[in-house]
């Protein structure tokens, strides 16, 4: 009996080994298949010198996107540039590969097209269809909030895109106004497939393992994450439907429904479904958002079929078959921005700058001391929002390698010395006790912090650089608010794109550059 038991064990372990080997073989075959896919968008042998680089379209957590003109053809692209070392270190290789392979197979007027890719020693490049109208996010900021007709139009285009994606077994997982780009004639194109999740039923060619359901993989952006994902449930189409509800709320009100001072507080509000509708929302808008933000994902319209979503009274009058031919809402360009804010610019005054008041009422932790004791806000999986998860040495090499790209916007050259490059640049609000003022904050590799009044193109408040954190430090007060503290003054800034943690990381990485 004992011998029989031994034999049985041995047999079982041999069987397991055999099964493992077979599985590995299958995996290798799938890998080979994925590696040998004939891409629609070819891998070219181009170099960055084949392009004339223009303005910076945007910065993601592991990429920069720059407007680029191919010198020989004159064609314009949005060139997504990713630092190889950084994405390897941050374990993002699978995400980048998946974005490439999925985008390559998509064909919908509402999804940005990938034309070709190339690489050099340091970077990977994706040449994307250029969206000249900017982000929907900026339209919301510039208009304050959208009219119900405008929001209906954009929401309908997003529904049309989601119906296509979900029909192909893909969950986008990062639907938000920053990833809804606009063509020059104002139609929506969905970008950023870095978080895409193929389901088991997808007919597309995807990477082996990418369809495996994993609980607890937090991707996306805090304010748009559904409660079930915070409760560790695997991703479903319900993620995108919830995010659509948040986006529609944001279009109509000007801010996301669960907005709060920190990611922790945002998560608390999502879990409690702490949702308040402004009075001016129509009954139809309120009802649709209420249904999309149902805590039960299976009850969200669009879950089992798109008929209920497209047939909702909010969308009455939408010609679904003709969406891309309907005239889109008028785009508001940067120069037409809120006159009121421009009015507030009159009082540029360093003594006000020293006051350190947060002004907007969203900041927490009102300390104005010079110590930098506040942590960057973290996502639940421990990573920082944005690129904050990198160590300072990685961050420094990443920043310095990408520095030259930021400097291509020639408008800021007059503030730089020869050879000096911009490491980070953002349009911010400088928060003062009585007034707020739009500024362009530049961090250079010298290092230097330069605050420019963009309406007059003049360098303003003098922030004296120091590598000593007692003499220069950054305090985060919320994902969008930070303070630059020097012994003489504390200046508060608001970054509407919530890159406060990235500013802190960039400044600290430069302070630590000597040790790297
Ligand atoms: N095709 C495009 N045309 C114009 N601008 C673009 C385009 N693609 C991206 N951008 C701009 O660049 C920004 C960053 O791009 P993207 O979101 O793809 O980067 P990412 O590193 O994947 O970002 P994330 O941190 O959201 O994952 C976008 O928010 C947008 O403003």
């Amino acid at each position: 009996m004992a011998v029989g038991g031994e034999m049985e064990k041995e047999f079982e372990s041999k069987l397991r080994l055999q099964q493992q080997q077979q599985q590995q073989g299958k995996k290798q075959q799938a890998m080979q298949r994925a590696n040998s896919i004939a891409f629609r968008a070819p891998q070219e042998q181009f170099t960055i010198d084949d392009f004339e680089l223009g303005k910076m379209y945007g910065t993601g957590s592991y990429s920069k996107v720059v407007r680029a003109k191919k010198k020989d053809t004159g064609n314009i692209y949005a060139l997504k540039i990713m630092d190889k070392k950084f994405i390897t270190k941050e374990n993002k290789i699978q995400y980048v590969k998946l974005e490439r392979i999925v985008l390559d197979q998509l064909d919908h007027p509402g999804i940005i097209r990938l034309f070709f890719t190339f690489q050099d020693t340091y970077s990977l490049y994706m040449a994307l269809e250029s969206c000249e109208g900017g982000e929907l996010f900026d339209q919301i900021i510039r208009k304050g909030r959208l009219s119900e007709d405008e929001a209906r139009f954009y929401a309908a285009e997003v529904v049309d895109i989601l119906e296509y994606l979900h029909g192909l077994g893909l969950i986008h997982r990062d639907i938000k106004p920053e990833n809804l780009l606009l063509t020059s004639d104002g139609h929506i194109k969905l970008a950023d497939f870095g978080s895409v999740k193929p389901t088991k039923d997808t007919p597309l060619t995807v990477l082996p393992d990418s369809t495996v359901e994993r609980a607890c993989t937090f991707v996306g952006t805090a304010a748009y994450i559904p409660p079930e994902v915070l409760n560790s449930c695997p991703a479903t189409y319900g993620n995108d439907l919830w995010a659509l509800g948040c986006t529609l709320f944001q279009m109509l009100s000007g801010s996301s429904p669960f907005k709060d001072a920190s990611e922790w507080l945002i998560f608390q509000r999502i879990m409690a479904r702490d949702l308040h509708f402004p009075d001016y929302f129509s009954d139809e808008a309120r009802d649709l958002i209420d249904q999309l933000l149902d805590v039960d994902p299976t009850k969200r319209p669009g879950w089992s079929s798109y008929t209920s979503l497209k047939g909702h009274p909010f969308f009455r009058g939408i010609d679904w078959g003709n969406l891309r031919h309907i005239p889109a809402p008028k785009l508001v360009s940067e120069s037409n921005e809120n006159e009121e804010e421009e009015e507030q610019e009159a009082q540029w005054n360093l003594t006000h700058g020293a006051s350190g008041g947060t002004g907007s009422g969203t900041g927490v932790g009102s300390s104005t001391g010079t110590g930098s004791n506040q942590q960057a806000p973290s996502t639940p999986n421990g990573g920082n929002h944005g690129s904050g998860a990198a160590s300072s040495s990685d961050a420094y090499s990443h920043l310095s390698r990408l520095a030259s790209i930021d400097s291509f916007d020639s408008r800021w050259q007059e503030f730089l010395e020869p050879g000096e490059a911009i490491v980070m640049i953002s349009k911010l609000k400088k928060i003062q006790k009585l007034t707020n003022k739009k500024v362009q904050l530049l961090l250079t590799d010298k290092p230097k912090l330069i605050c420019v009044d963009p309406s007059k193109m003049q360098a303003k408040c003098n922030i004296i650089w120091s590598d000593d954190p007692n003499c220069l430090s950054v305090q985060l007060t919320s994902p969008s608010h930070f303070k630059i503290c020097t012994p003489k003054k504390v200046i508060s800034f608001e970054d509407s794109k919530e890159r406060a943690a990235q500013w802190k990381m960039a400044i600290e990485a430069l302070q630590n550059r000597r040790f790297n």
Side-chain angles (χ1 to χ4, degrees):
M1 198 61 196
V3 174
E6 282 301 320
M7 272 174 68
E8 218 166 77
K9 266 192 204 155
E10 198 183 334
F11 175 72
E12 262 172 22
S13 74
K14 276 194 179 145
L15 190 69
R16 260 202 306 275
L17 193 69
Q18 207 178 14
Q19 280 169 346
Q20 272 170 7
Q21 281 168 348
Q22 275 171 357
Q23 264 173 3
Q24 260 168 9
K26 270 190 202 154
K27 233 185 205 172
Q28 266 167 4
Q29 275 172 11
M31 292 267 240
Q32 277 160 4
R33 258 206 321 274
N35 286 338
S36 62
I37 289 167
F39 288 120
R40 179 184 67 188
Q43 284 171 293
E44 299 286 8
Q45 300 297 318
F46 300 146
T47 74
I48 192 73
D49 294 332
D50 294 324
F51 298 84
E52 226 170 76
L53 299 181
K55 70 170 181 175
M56 175 75 60
Y57 275 141
T59 323
S61 30
Y62 54 94
S63 72
K64 303 233 161 190
V65 181
V66 188
R67 191 172 191 272
K69 183 169 158 187
K70 182 99 195 323
K71 287 177 186 164
D72 56 354
T73 60
N75 290 340
I76 302 287
Y77 302 99
L79 208 53
K80 182 160 173 167
I81 308 174
M82 292 158 281
D83 184 79
K84 282 182 180 175
K85 205 170 156 198
F86 190 76
I87 52 179
T88 313
K89 181 84 192 160
E90 292 284 290
N91 268 330
K92 294 283 183 199
I93 297 174
Q94 288 305 95
Y95 291 90
V96 173
K97 279 190 180 170
L98 192 59
E99 177 170 27
R100 196 253 187 264
I101 194 174
V102 165
L103 263 187
D104 195 60
Q105 298 170 80
L106 300 182
D107 191 4
H108 186 279
I111 294 175
I112 52 155
R113 180 83 186 241
L114 172 69
F115 290 104
F116 53 82
T117 60
F118 60 99
Q119 58 177 303
D120 58 28
T121 318
Y122 300 115
S123 306
L124 300 172
Y125 302 85
M126 284 165 72
L128 301 164
E129 178 179 2
S130 172
C131 290
E132 307 277 319
E135 299 174 8
L136 177 61
F137 180 88
D138 290 322
Q139 291 301 310
I140 300 173
I141 294 278
R142 285 174 201 156
K143 292 181 178 174
R145 59 185 159 97
L146 307 187
S147 72
E148 211 145 293
D149 280 341
E150 291 173 318
R152 187 179 355 268
F153 173 85
Y154 291 132
E157 291 208 323
V158 178
V159 168
D160 184 51
I161 296 164
L162 289 182
E163 185 178 24
Y164 170 78
L165 281 182
H166 293 178
L168 285 175
L170 296 174
I171 311 164
H172 183 274
R173 293 201 294 181
D174 205 8
I175 299 290
K176 58 177 178 178
E178 287 94 324
N179 286 336
L180 298 170
L181 305 183
L182 296 162
T183 59
S184 52
D185 56 359
H187 287 270
I188 296 261
K189 293 225 180 224
L190 177 61
D192 192 2
F193 281 70
S195 307
V196 74
K197 177 82 188 167
T199 62
K200 285 200 292 290
D201 308 321
T202 183
L204 302 183
T205 306
V206 291
L207 301 175
D209 273 0
S210 63
T211 58
V212 173
E213 284 190 354
R214 285 189 193 91
C216 248
T217 37
F218 284 96
V219 297
T221 306
Y224 308 85
I225 291 180
E228 70 274 12
V229 172
L230 295 177
N231 274 328
S232 304
C233 292
T236 64
Y237 300 131
N239 287 39
D240 293 342
L241 298 169
W242 174 278
L244 169 65
C246 294
T247 302
L248 178 55
F249 185 106
Q250 187 164 351
M251 287 191 244
L252 291 170
S253 73
S255 62
S256 55
F258 305 105
K259 192 179 164 98
D260 216 313
S262 70
E263 288 186 350
W264 168 250
L265 291 170
I266 290 171
F267 294 144
Q268 299 293 312
R269 290 195 55 193
I270 295 171
M271 292 306 288
R273 199 177 181 270
D274 182 7
L275 177 64
H276 304 278
F277 291 104
D279 295 340
Y280 52 81
F281 277 27
S282 70
D283 290 345
E284 291 81 8
R286 194 184 293 244
D287 184 70
L288 177 58
I289 295 167
D290 196 44
Q291 288 190 42
L292 287 167
L293 298 184
D294 199 305
V295 286
D296 179 351
T298 65
K299 296 216 174 106
R300 294 172 200 154
W303 170 267
S304 50
S305 104
Y306 268 75
T307 322
S308 60
L309 181 51
K310 290 161 83 175
H312 189 278
F314 178 74
F315 290 122
R316 195 170 295 133
I318 288 287
D319 181 358
W320 291 99
N322 197 33
L323 272 179
R324 308 298 298 189
H325 300 110
I326 299 172
K330 204 169 171 296
L331 296 179
V332 173
S333 62
E334 221 175 322
S335 50
N336 295 352
E337 268 180 61
N338 219 330
E339 300 268 302
E340 243 175 63
E341 276 186 40
E342 300 295 337
E343 278 296 300
Q344 293 181 344
E345 290 184 3
Q347 301 189 32
W348 187 291
N349 174 333
L350 286 184
T351 52
H352 276 144
S355 67
T358 57
S360 73
T362 54
V364 290
S366 57
S367 152
T368 53
T370 53
S372 170
N373 51 9
Q374 222 162 327
Q375 294 297 309
S378 301
T379 50
N381 58 347
N384 288 333
H385 184 58
S387 52
S391 74
S392 70
S393 77
D394 295 325
Y396 177 65
S397 63
H398 176 58
L399 286 169
S400 49
R401 231 172 282 138
L402 288 176
S404 51
I405 298 165
D406 261 330
S407 306
F408 285 118
D409 191 341
S410 54
R411 264 184 307 166
W412 313 110
Q413 282 302 329
E414 62 178 282
F415 300 100
L416 309 179
E417 291 171 24
E420 187 175 10
I422 297 172
V423 171
M424 187 153 171
I425 182 163
S426 288
K427 205 189 317 157
L428 305 174
K429 238 186 241 166
K430 179 170 172 262
I431 312 275
Q432 304 172 147
K433 240 187 202 148
L434 301 175
T435 62
N436 294 340
K437 180 163 174 73
K438 268 187 251 162
V439 296
Q440 196 83 31
L441 189 64
L442 281 64
L443 174 65
T444 77
D445 62 353
K446 198 158 170 69
K448 236 168 33 189
L449 271 164
I450 306 166
C451 193
V452 177
D453 173 355
S455 61
K456 304 192 180 80
M457 286 305 273
Q458 283 170 7
K460 292 288 181 174
C461 52
N462 184 18
I463 306 172
I464 297 168
W465 181 269
S466 170
D467 290 343
D468 179 354
N470 291 317
C471 299
L472 176 72
S473 64
V474 182
Q475 280 189 10
L476 300 178
T477 48
S478 81
S480 49
H481 290 78
F482 64 101
K483 297 173 184 184
I484 295 186
C485 311
T486 68
K488 286 214 168 132
K489 61 189 169 198
V490 175
I491 309 175
S492 297
F493 294 99
E494 179 186 334
D495 184 333
S496 63
K497 299 219 168 143
E498 304 200 336
R499 278 182 307 221
Q502 272 167 280
W503 271 103
K504 179 177 166 69
M505 192 197 71
I507 291 171
E508 289 176 358
L510 279 166
Q511 286 180 309
N512 291 326
R513 68 198 176 285
R514 302 231 170 90
F515 307 114
N516 298 316

